[in-house]
Each structure stands twice: as C-alpha cells, then as structure tokens.
Amino acid sequence: MADRKFVKIQTAIPGPKSQELVARRNNVVPKGISNNSEAFVKKAKGALVEDVDGNTFIDFAGAIGTINVGHSHPRVVRALQAQAGDYIHTGFNVMMYESYIQLAERLADLSPGSFDKQVAFFNSGAEAVENAVKIARKYTKRQGIISFTRGFHGRTLMTMTMTSKVKPYKYGFGPFAPEVYKAPYPYVYRRPDQMDEKEYSKFIIEQFEQFLIAEVAPETIAAVVMEPIQGEGGFIVPDLDFVKRVREICTQYGILFVADEIQTGFARTGKYFAIEHFGVEPDLITISKSMGAGVPISGVIGRKEIMEASDAGEIGGTYSGSPLGCRAALAVLDIIEEEGLNERAVEIGEKVYEEMHKWANQFEQIGDIRGIGAMCAMEIVTNKKDKTPDKVTVGKIVKEANNRGLMLLSAGIFGNVIRLLMPLTITDEQLEEGLDILRESIEAVLVPEFQLEVNS
C-alpha cells in the first residue's frame, strides 16, 4: 500500500490490541449490537480516527452522521469542560438551567416557518420521533400516523413500527404499535422503464392520494412523518412536487407534517435543515445526531400552539436536554455559523459528485449517484441495465476501504448503497485522500470485465 499523508496502517485490521478487545466484547456484549469495524478507537480529531494499534483512518462515516463539526472540535470540548466544572446534571424538570432556553431560542429562530415556535429536548433520535407522535396525537386528537416505505425512524416500539426495513430492525420483534401506515415514497432511480421523471412524479403523487382512499381515511391521521432525504433507506431524494403535494394534503385535512431531520440536519445538505430545499414549512421537526457533536441530545421543534397542547409532565424525561447536551449543541451552532459549514457542505458535495460520476463512467456496477450537499451516495448494482441490487459487492468495498484506512458505511433497503457522511470540517487534502482510497477499494473489488480502462 502506498504511503499516505493522513492514513497510517501499522497492522492488519483489526490489530492485535483490537483483537483482544474483540474477544472481550464478544464475551459480554450481545451480537445484536452490530459493529461496522473490528478496530477499537483510541482518539479522534477532526476527520481522523486513530485506533488502539496505532492505525489512523479517514472518517467518511461520521458516527452515522453524528459529527458534522468533526471529532472533538476544540469549541465543543471547551464547552463541555466548562459545563462539567459548574454542574453536570440537575434534571430540567427539577431545577432549570439557562442553556436549555438559549438553545431553544436559537433553534426556533433558525428553523423554517414564519410562525411562533417552541422546542422540547430529549435524548435520542428515536425519542424525538416518539415525542413528535405524542405531541401530534395530543394536538389533533387523532391516532393515525403515516410514514413512508424505506423510511427509518428508530428502534423503539413506535419508531420500529414506523421504520420500513424488516431485517434487521423488525424481524422477530412484533407485535408492533397500531395505527401506523406506510405510504409510497419516490425512488427515481427505480422508476418503471417506460416513465420519465415527470411522469413518475405524477404517478407517485397519485399513489399517495389513492393511499388515503384505499388504506386509511385522512381525517383519522394525526401526522405524516417524512425524512426530507431518506437516510438508512439509501439517501433517496424525493422530487419537489411530491413533497409540496404531501404538504398540501396535510394542510387540507388538518394533518401535521413532521420533517424527520435527525440525519439530514445541522448543515449536512448545505442548509441547517434539509426540508428548506423543498420550500415547505413543517409543523414539527425532529432533530438529533450532529446536533450535539457526539453528546446525546435530541429535540422537537414545532408550532407554538401544537407544542403547548401537552400538559405539564406529559413529555420530557430524566436526562432530556441535559446541560452537557445543550452546551455542546450551542457550540455546534456557533461552529456552523462561524466556519461556514453550510457552504462547506456544498463544496464537499461538488467534489464528491464529480469524482463519483467519473467512477460511474468506468464501472458498470455503479448504477446511481445521488444526494444533496455533503449527503452523498452511490448505488451498486450487478449492471446498469438490470439494476439488480448488489449487497455482496458493497460489503466487500466497505471492508476493503476499512482495511485501507477509510471508515465507510452502507445503506439502502437492499444494503447496496455506499453512503458518505464525512465531517464537514474535513480538509481538502483529507477529502481527496479519502476519495482516492474509496476509488482504489472499488477497483480492488469490482470484477475485471466490468472495468473500463481503469488504469489507462
């Protein structure tokens, strides 16, 4: 392997120290908790991660989109140190603290919607979605919830029910929560061959309208919960007309429109919230992941009259909106603004898409390139004509990249999508080196007959 500026591979992956830890892990941690890599982290900074054996990786996984501002950003570290020196936790429902109010005020101001808003904080993305459902039901006095095929919203009972992918998230864990319905969601790459994109958009809108006749009455629905870009589903971007029509139908029938921004928020797509790309105003927004730069915190932002429908004690929790989480999130907002991370996400995306399109012209198995900003993905298939999902090849590419010093994740309902979630603070040199490793990993895995003059 050629010497690199940032990546340093001292041992095979996993190295001897990681192997010892893997053995201990297997003894006391259930296999139901998955691990993308068998390496164990020692320290991480920016877009670089060092394991216990001295190997250094470039991070294109970002803790599944949790560290848009990078690992251990100095501003976040200082904020946490200062907070821990004063107090760690009182419980907002026991004794309040100003950072909770400051964060709520800033998020209410930054989020889309020309109306008064309120904000409630929780611990995880799934908890935010659970509470958005509770709030919607309380306000509308309805029970039904609509999510979408290929959507992912969490692994609790309600959010697992709302999630579309059966294995590994739902299989064997039933029965599920009642009054949850799955509606069709656009997937332009896999549209019928006889349809162009405009015809397909019209078709999917008609399917959604018919869904509200054939499957469930809209008058019984409290909320439609939509990822503006499907994350675990494969970074699938809906068309503008579909999103706007769903919003119109929600308004028509008094259904709350909930934007699940847990993976798409906090500058990932070039805006604070991905729903801003579609020009609609959600009634509720769920947030988490990169909100806290790795510190657990989540939230629901919503119209004031909706959020106030719940009485005292009906939402919240022991650690909800912890002082450490609030301070970390305030630091994240400062970093996004002062370091121009929305603009940086657009720059990163442009560089990544340019390279990916080159690869797509070289390899028959790269079927689709998609995303917005620095939320980038490519779908791997057996060939461009048949579009048969190729999960096995993706697994090999991810493993090869990891062995070469690049942290990488797959996604998609078929497991055949490579998704990129690098920190937005990544340098140009680190980004270029990471893309070089990804290209080399693809070259090393894909079968020779599908390579078109790769080495020319």
Side-chain angles (χ1 to χ4, degrees), residues 232-247:
E232 178 66 22
F235 284 26
I236 299 171
V237 183
D239 66 279
L240 183 64
D241 290 343
F242 176 78
V243 178
K244 287 190 171 183
R245 182 59 182 143
V246 172
R247 169 74 265 191

Side-chain angles (χ1 to χ4, degrees), residues 234-235 353 356 368-370 375-379 417-419:
F235 284 26
Y353 297 130
M356 282 185 170
D368 192 32
I369 307 297
R370 56 178 178 259
M375 192 171 181
C376 318
M378 56 183 171
E379 182 162 351
V417 176
I418 295 173
R419 55 175 160 175

Side-chain angles (χ1 to χ4, degrees), residues 56-290:
T56 304
F57 303 77
I58 294 175
D59 190 354
F60 272 22
I64 321 179
T66 304
I67 51 162
N68 288 357
V69 301
H71 292 280
S72 302
H73 192 289
R75 188 153 193 160
V76 174
V77 172
R78 288 195 299 269
L80 293 174
Q81 289 171 335
Q83 181 60 61
D86 291 336
Y87 58 92
I88 293 176
H89 193 59
T90 62
F92 189 73
N93 55 338
V94 176
M95 180 172 282
M96 296 179 287
Y97 32 91
E98 187 180 3
S99 58
Y100 190 114
I101 309 305
Q102 291 174 320
L103 182 58
E105 288 172 339
R106 291 186 66 177
L107 290 170
D109 183 57
L110 286 169
S111 58
S114 53
F115 42 78
D116 291 338
K117 308 184 191 83
Q118 289 186 338
V119 186
F121 296 121
F122 308 100
N123 300 297
S124 67
E127 208 174 316
V129 175
E130 289 265 2
N131 279 277
V133 168
K134 288 174 63 177
I135 292 165
R137 285 175 165 172
K138 184 76 173 183
Y139 176 77
T140 63
K141 297 178 174 59
R142 303 173 182 177
Q143 294 183 335
I145 301 295
I146 293 175
S147 57
F148 292 90
T149 55
R150 296 180 306 276
F152 180 88
H153 301 285
R155 306 184 214 214
T156 59
L157 176 60
M158 171 55 72
T159 59
M160 174 179 60
T161 305
M162 295 167 65
T163 290
S164 192
K165 193 173 183 179
V166 176
K167 294 182 179 180
Y169 303 122
K170 302 174 72 168
Y171 184 73
F173 293 118
F176 303 110
E179 296 296 322
V180 175
Y181 305 89
K182 299 288 193 319
Y185 187 95
Y187 195 167
V188 173
Y189 177 63
R190 296 196 172 276
R191 69 186 184 276
D193 292 338
Q194 68 273 19
M195 289 186 184
D196 61 26
E197 291 189 20
K198 186 175 181 179
E199 291 169 333
Y200 178 67
S201 176
K202 182 179 178 181
F203 170 74
I204 289 293
I205 290 171
E206 289 173 350
Q207 289 290 299
F208 184 74
E209 292 169 342
Q210 291 174 20
F211 173 86
L212 294 174
I213 298 172
E215 298 296 329
V216 62
E219 295 86 357
T220 68
I221 299 300
V224 169
V225 183
M226 174 191 289
E227 296 167 276
I229 303 170
Q230 290 188 330
E232 178 66 22
F235 284 26
I236 299 171
V237 183
D239 66 279
L240 183 64
D241 290 343
F242 176 78
V243 178
K244 287 190 171 183
R245 182 59 182 143
V246 172
R247 169 74 265 191
E248 289 172 358
I249 290 171
C250 286
T251 301
Q252 179 182 351
Y253 290 103
I255 301 168
L256 301 190
F257 183 97
V258 183
D260 183 340
E261 294 271 4
I262 288 161
Q263 189 166 162
T264 56
F266 295 92
R268 174 52 54 183
T269 67
K271 295 184 181 294
Y272 281 98
F273 303 95
I275 197 67
E276 297 178 71
H277 291 284
F278 300 93
V280 303
E281 296 180 344
D283 298 298
L284 300 173
I285 301 173
T286 59
I287 50 176
S288 190
K289 285 193 180 284
S290 277

